[in-house]
Structures are given as structure tokens and as C-alpha cells.
Amino acid sequence: MRTIQQKDLQRLSELILEVENTTSFGELIVGEKDEEGVNIFPYYVSSPVVSKFLRLGFDLNLDSNFDWTHWDEGVKILNDENRDYSLLTCETLCKLVTTIVRKDRFCEGELICSFENGVMLKILKAFQKHFELNLQSNF
């Protein structure tokens, strides 16, 4: 992990505002054919805000190295609509981000879905709260 700087908090705040003002986080492309008329398998195209999130997550080192496929606590958290993410530790928030991003590699559209259902916004706001409280601390 790394130390959070004021500029990092600013970038996070700007991303949160952009997420709050975004109406579409991606699009499922279906029914395309290649130049030979062969159907192309459906795929997702992310909106710019999702790409910004991935860059910011990389820059802030929000990924965790752990066995996300067997993390039952994370599944429970992500499936609990009433969960208060601000009560979670930064470590748990990082694990949630890692789980969502890695799961998207195997289940395309998972990351976009986490923005559409509001989970990613809850995670980002929880990070913002932690970062504001511990601006110069390691998380």
C-alpha cells in the first residue's frame, strides 16, 4: 500500500462526482458480424468513467493479492444491499475492488454492473471517507 496525498483524494473526489453524474457505465454489443458474415460473440464496452476508475485504482494501488475466488465474506458483503461500506476497513475495500475487477475478467460485465447497481459508488465513497480521516497515513 502507499501513502495517500491530497492530489489523490482530489482525483477520487472528482471520480465520485463523475460516477454520480453518469447515466450509462457501459454497453453490451450484440449481433455484430465480421467481414465474412460470422457472428461476433457479444461483448461489453465500458464508459470512460469506468476506464478512469481502473487507472485510478492502479495509481492508488487498490488491488490486493489474495485468493479472491474463495473469499466468502466478500460475496456476503457484495450481495448485501443494506451494507454500510463506510464501516469496512480499507483492506476490505481493496479486497472488494480486487474481487470485482478480477471477476470481470471471467464474467465480462461484472465491473460495469458494480457501477450500475451502486456498489462501486459505495466503495469509492467509503475510500474517500477513510482517506479524508487519514490523509497522510498508510491504509
Side-chain angles (χ1 to χ4, degrees):
M1 298 292 178
R2 60 191 286 273
T3 301
I4 297 302
Q5 304 294 324
Q6 183 65 41
K7 64 182 172 72
D8 298 327
L9 181 58
Q10 179 64 31
R11 289 176 63 200
L12 179 62
S13 296
E14 290 169 2
L15 181 64
I16 289 170
L17 285 173
E18 194 170 341
V19 169
E20 290 175 329
N21 292 310
T22 299
T23 57
S24 175
F25 296 100
E27 179 182 7
L28 177 63
I29 307 299
V30 180
E32 286 189 343
K33 296 182 184 233
D34 67 12
E35 59 277 348
E36 296 174 2
V38 177
N39 289 330
I40 297 174
F41 197 73
Y43 61 96
Y44 283 88
V45 176
S46 299
S47 70
V49 72
V50 174
S51 298
K52 280 185 183 180
F53 161 76
L54 288 171
R55 281 191 304 277
L56 181 62
F58 178 78
D59 291 348
L60 297 181
N61 197 22
L62 298 182
D63 61 327
S64 296
N65 187 13
F66 74 107
D67 184 7
W68 64 273
T69 60
H70 294 99
W71 188 44
D72 294 334
E73 179 188 359
V75 173
K76 290 176 187 171
I77 292 169
L78 292 171
N79 288 326
D80 182 355
E81 292 179 12
N82 299 314
R83 174 70 66 153
D84 184 352
Y85 285 70
S86 68
L87 300 176
L88 301 173
T89 65
C90 278
E91 179 184 2
T92 300
L93 294 169
C94 287
K95 285 182 171 184
L96 291 173
V97 168
T98 300
T99 299
I100 292 167
V101 171
R102 290 186 185 166
K103 187 175 178 185
D104 187 68
R105 293 181 184 159
F106 299 97
C107 182
E108 190 175 7
E110 186 70 24
L111 180 58
I112 291 170
C113 182
S114 74
F115 278 93
E116 289 176 343
N117 67 19
V119 166
M120 193 56 71
L121 182 59
K122 289 178 185 179
I123 292 171
L124 292 171
K125 285 183 174 184
F127 272 126
Q128 181 182 39
K129 180 179 175 184
H130 282 288
F131 295 167
E132 287 172 347
L133 293 173
N134 302 300
L135 186 60
Q136 295 300 322
S137 300
N138 288 328
F139 68 95

